Amino acid sequence: MEYRVLGTTGITVSEFALGAMMFGSYSNGDHDESVKMIHSALDAGVNFIDTADVYSQGESEVIVGKAIKGRRDDVVVATKFYFPMGDDPNRGGGSARWIKRAVEDSLRRLDTDHIDLYQMHRPDQNTDIDDSLGALSDLVRAGKVRTIGSSTFPASEIVEAQWVAEKRGHQRFRTEQPQYSLLVRGIEADVLPTLQRHGMGALTWSPLSGGWLSGRADPTASSALRASWGGMYDMSDPANQAKLAAVEKFAALAAETGLSLPTLATAFVLAHPGVTSVILGGSKPHHLTDLFANAGVRLNEDVLDRIDEIVPPGTNVRQNDAFATTPSVQDKRLRRR
C-alpha cells in the first residue's frame, strides 16, 4: 500500500480508502462480519475510512465506530452530512442548524471525540454556502472536526466555496469527493483541474462504475437496488449499450495486459495526478480481498493511450451516470420568474 498527502492538509492517507456504504441494513447487516472486513482493510495498510450519516441511516457509522475502537489514532475517519435523516424537513441539508446537530449525531455513532474529514455530501441550493462554511468553521475551532470537504460538487460551486471562504475568513473545503471511472471521465475536464489549482485532495468513488467494471459475466443484470439508480442498467437506453461495448473493449485490453478488469479500472483512476485516494467498498470479505490486491499496480503510457481510444478524456459514456447536479434544470423553482 502506498500513501499520499491529502491535498495541502498534511494528513497522509492510503491510496485506497475503505468505503463503508455497504455496511449495515443497506447491504450487509452482519456487524461482526463488517467489523472483520474493516479490520482486514486496516491490516492490509488502509488507514482511511469513508462513511456518511445517511448510509443505512447511521448504522454504517456505528459499525465503523465499533471497528476503530482501540485503533482510533491510526485511522483517518471521514464522514458526510446533507441527505435527509428522517421525515423532519430540517433534518438534512447544509444549514448551520442541521450541521451542528448532524455532527453530534455522527460523533456519537462513531464513538469518537473528533472527525478527521467532515464532508458536505451534495451542494444545497437552499442554503447560502457562507452559512454552511461558517458552521463548519465553528466545528473546526471547537476541535470536533479537523478539516472539511465537499462531495459531488460541480467545478463552479467548488470555486465559489473557495472564494466565499477567503472573503469571509472561513475554513475552506480541502477535499472533494467526485465520481470517477473508465466510463465516467467528465471530471477530467473541469473538476480535477480545479482541485489541483486550489490544492485540494480528490477522493474518488465508484471506480467500478456501479458494477459495470466488476468483471462479472453480466454487468447489466438488474436488482431491486439497481432499479432505483435512474436507469443505469436499462439496456433500452442507447448510452447503456455504448457502455456495454466499451466494457467489452476494456475487458479485452485488461486480458491483453495480464490484468483483471477491476485491476485495470482502479489503476486507471489512480493514474491521474489529481487523485489522492480511491474509495473501494464491498459487502462481502472477498470483494475487498480482490480489490486491495490491486495496490501497487501502475499502468504504462501505452495502456493509458489505449484507454483514451475507447473512452475519450473528459467524457462520460452515459451523462446521467455522473450524478451531477444541474439545479437550474432539475429544480422547477429555479427556472421560473
Side-chain angles (χ1 to χ4, degrees):
M1 188 69 63
E2 296 188 10
Y3 300 86
R4 303 174 178 186
V5 177
L6 186 58
T8 56
T9 66
I11 300 171
T12 298
V13 296
S14 46
E15 64 181 6
F16 290 150
L18 177 62
M21 185 178 75
M22 306 306 283
F23 299 145
S25 59
Y26 189 72
S27 183
N28 188 345
D30 185 332
H31 285 212
D32 290 339
E33 182 174 70
S34 297
V35 166
K36 288 179 182 178
M37 289 172 66
I38 295 172
H39 287 169
S40 295
L42 297 178
D43 293 342
V46 172
N47 75 342
F48 197 12
I49 300 176
D50 177 78
T51 184
D53 56 5
V54 74
Y55 296 162
S56 296
Q57 288 291 293
E59 191 179 0
S60 172
E61 288 184 325
V62 170
I63 291 170
V64 171
K66 291 178 180 179
I68 64 175
K69 199 170 185 64
R71 307 177 72 163
R72 178 66 184 90
D73 290 343
D74 301 323
V75 183
V76 178
V77 176
T79 191
K80 301 182 283 292
F81 69 92
Y82 168 79
F83 285 108
M85 290 294 289
D87 295 331
D88 184 337
N90 286 313
R91 290 181 59 82
S95 70
R97 182 180 189 270
W98 174 239
I99 289 172
K100 295 189 176 184
R101 168 64 187 274
V103 74
E104 297 296 340
D105 291 343
S106 287
L107 288 169
R108 172 177 48 79
R109 288 188 292 260
L110 289 164
D111 193 19
T112 185
D113 63 356
H114 72 281
I115 293 165
D116 296 299
L117 173 61
Y118 199 40
Q119 302 157 101
M120 190 166 175
H121 213 153
R122 292 290 190 276
D124 184 354
Q125 305 303 324
N126 297 313
T127 304
D128 192 325
I129 191 64
D130 183 20
D131 292 343
S132 300
L133 290 172
L136 290 167
S137 298
D138 289 343
L139 299 183
V140 173
R141 285 190 288 268
K144 296 179 180 182
V145 169
R146 297 295 187 254
T147 194
I148 61 174
S150 57
S151 175
T152 322
F153 273 46
S156 61
E157 297 198 41
I158 293 170
V159 172
E160 181 183 5
Q162 295 288 317
W163 180 82
V164 170
E166 180 177 357
K167 180 180 180 182
R168 302 287 290 170
H170 296 318
Q171 293 286 320
R172 67 185 184 93
F173 288 142
R174 310 295 290 277
T175 65
E176 160 62 15
Q177 190 176 132
Q179 185 183 9
Y180 187 35
S181 74
L182 288 166
L183 300 174
V184 183
R185 301 184 59 177
I187 65 168
E188 294 171 342
D190 50 11
V191 170
L192 285 174
T194 297
L195 301 185
Q196 290 176 287
R197 285 197 299 273
H198 290 280
M200 297 172 66
L203 326 174
T204 65
W205 55 274
S206 198
L208 303 187
S209 204
W212 279 86
L213 300 167
S214 65
R216 61 171 167 258
D218 184 6
T220 70
S222 189
S223 67
L225 175 60
R226 288 180 165 196
S228 67
W229 288 3
M232 189 182 294
Y233 307 92
D234 178 5
M235 291 310 295
S236 67
D237 184 342
N240 283 331
Q241 296 171 19
K243 280 165 53 179
L244 183 58
V247 168
E248 291 172 349
K249 292 178 182 178
F250 285 133
L253 176 60
E256 183 181 330
T257 55
L259 302 174
S260 69
L261 181 56
T263 299
L264 179 75
T266 54
F268 163 76
V269 174
L270 276 173
H272 196 289
V275 172
T276 307
S277 189
V278 179
I279 299 172
L280 301 177
S283 58
K284 295 297 179 183
H286 69 274
H287 294 160
L288 297 184
T289 301
D290 294 344
L291 289 172
F292 289 133
N294 299 330
V297 174
R298 297 294 182 265
L299 303 180
N300 61 38
E301 287 297 319
D302 177 62
V303 174
L304 292 171
D305 288 343
R306 298 272 299 279
I307 287 171
D308 289 348
E309 292 172 1
I310 299 170
V311 176
T315 63
N316 301 323
V317 179
R318 181 176 182 270
Q319 185 58 37
N320 288 345
D321 286 356
F323 290 94
T325 54
T326 51
S328 60
V329 174
Q330 295 176 354
D331 188 338
K332 293 181 180 180
R333 295 171 299 177
L334 301 179
R335 64 181 194 230
R336 293 173 179 162
R337 294 191 178 187

